[in-house]
Amino acid sequence: MRKNIVAGNWKMNTTFQEAEELIADILEKLETAENQCEVVVCPPSVYLELASDYANDYDNLLSIGAQNVSEHEKGAYTGEIAASMLASMNMQYCIVGHSERRKYFNESNEQLALKVERLLENAIRPIFCCGEQLDEREADQHFKVVETQIKEALFHFSADEFSNLVIAYEPVWAIGTGKTATAAQAQEMHAFIRRIIAEKYGDKTAGDTTILYGGSCNAGNAKELFANPDVDGGLIGGASLKANDFVAIANSF
Ligand code: PGA
């Protein structure tokens, strides 16, 4: 079901103590916030239990997600985390295919398809990331790139399965660079994504899909980005590490 979501991707940041302070701070501020969205925090996996315990104490004001998952079910894959493990800890979301995973860990669309499959089997909602590099945009290839990422990783799923997905459009040139896509660029791509989903699964599924924007989204530009008809919220990196900024973004609808 389509809804407004603001999700924080902490990436590989915070010590245990810092994570505890940040989660407590976010929850405290959310208690008095009037946010019109679901708020999700994706801390490093070693802090998932901590975050989830805190969220439980606050009547689930916050949903918790992981940043990555293995494409394998279980077994001899040292260092990996299975979707069934995340499910056994009641994780609601998991980011899949973040551009940093694609770039530094060579994750392919084929591998991402398996990760999404594992998550869906375990009733965890994937936040599937897609987005073009700067040279691809400059060569006017951005629609094609995003279409290929989505088609190759996701379009073999049934409409029922697809309805559990959240899509995050994150132009790679905007991630961590302070260079946000303009509201018009975000809207244009989000509308395009919704259109290809409609072509494959029909208008109802497309209309029900939550599509987030990510890439230097902050407390100053969130309102303008979220005001677009096809932008249903954001996947927030840097600004999610500051409780004030993150909650201000969640209040930007
Ligand atoms: P950023 O990161 O907000 O720091 O640009 C976004 C992301 O990587 O999800």
Side-chain angles (χ1 to χ4, degrees):
M1 190 41 79
R2 183 164 172 187
K3 57 175 156 183
N4 294 333
I5 296 177
V6 165
N9 172 13
W10 290 8
K11 309 192 181 185
M12 199 173 74
N13 292 298
T14 71
T15 62
F16 184 85
Q17 289 75 16
E18 288 165 350
E20 188 163 22
E21 271 170 40
L22 181 54
I23 202 85
D25 206 3
I26 290 171
L27 280 161
E28 207 173 286
K29 290 185 164 66
L30 279 179
E31 253 197 324
T32 52
E34 288 177 5
N35 55 294
Q36 304 290 315
C37 67
E38 179 174 358
V39 184
V40 183
V41 162
C42 301
S45 58
V46 284
Y47 309 143
L48 285 174
E49 190 181 0
L50 170 84
S52 147
D53 285 350
Y54 266 84
N56 282 339
D57 285 349
Y58 279 79
D59 219 9
N60 299 310
L61 269 180
L62 195 59
S63 303
I64 308 297
Q67 296 177 14
N68 183 33
V69 69
S70 169
E71 68 268 35
H72 303 290
E73 281 176 28
K74 64 173 185 173
Y77 299 100
T78 302
E80 289 291 275
I81 294 170
S84 57
M85 299 174 185
L86 298 176
S88 70
M89 294 171 70
N90 298 317
M91 290 306 122
Q92 294 114 307
Y93 290 91
C94 181
I95 299 170
V96 178
H98 190 278
S99 66
E100 288 147 18
R101 302 283 326 166
R102 292 176 188 264
K103 180 176 174 194
Y104 302 126
F105 303 94
N106 298 318
E107 291 190 352
S108 63
N109 291 329
E110 199 179 30
Q111 192 181 3
L112 297 178
L114 292 172
K115 291 186 179 219
V116 170
E117 202 173 311
R118 295 289 86 75
L119 290 169
L120 294 178
E121 283 165 2
N122 285 279
I124 297 170
R125 297 189 74 188
I127 301 176
F128 180 83
C129 302
C130 55
E132 80 285 356
Q133 316 265 351
L134 184 58
D135 59 336
E136 291 166 335
R137 179 166 278 269
E138 283 170 352
D140 211 19
Q141 290 298 303
H142 45 300
F143 293 115
K144 188 83 223 132
V145 168
V146 168
E147 183 172 12
T148 303
Q149 289 170 336
I150 291 178
K151 276 192 173 164
E152 288 188 3
L154 303 178
F155 275 5
H156 57 291
F157 290 108
S158 68
D160 251 16
E161 289 168 325
F162 194 90
S163 68
N164 292 302
L165 286 160
V166 172
I167 307 290
Y169 168 59
E170 299 204 300
V172 180
W173 46 271
I175 296 177
T177 58
K179 222 179 175 192
T180 323
T182 63
Q185 283 172 324
Q187 169 56 25
E188 186 185 33
M189 183 60 87
H190 283 228
F192 171 77
I193 293 171
R194 212 176 290 288
R195 193 158 63 244
I196 59 173
I197 296 170
E199 281 164 13
K200 170 72 183 170
Y201 295 107
D203 289 344
K204 164 108 180 67
T205 303
D208 282 349
T209 303
T210 300
I211 308 177
L212 309 181
Y213 168 79
S216 297
C217 182
N218 57 42
N221 59 27
K223 254 200 181 88
E224 197 190 347
L225 286 161
F226 298 172
N228 287 291
D230 287 297
V231 179
D232 305 313
L235 180 56
I236 320 298
S240 74
L241 294 167
K242 294 182 202 115
N244 268 332
D245 290 7
F246 185 58
V247 174
I249 294 170
N251 280 333
S252 298
F253 291 94

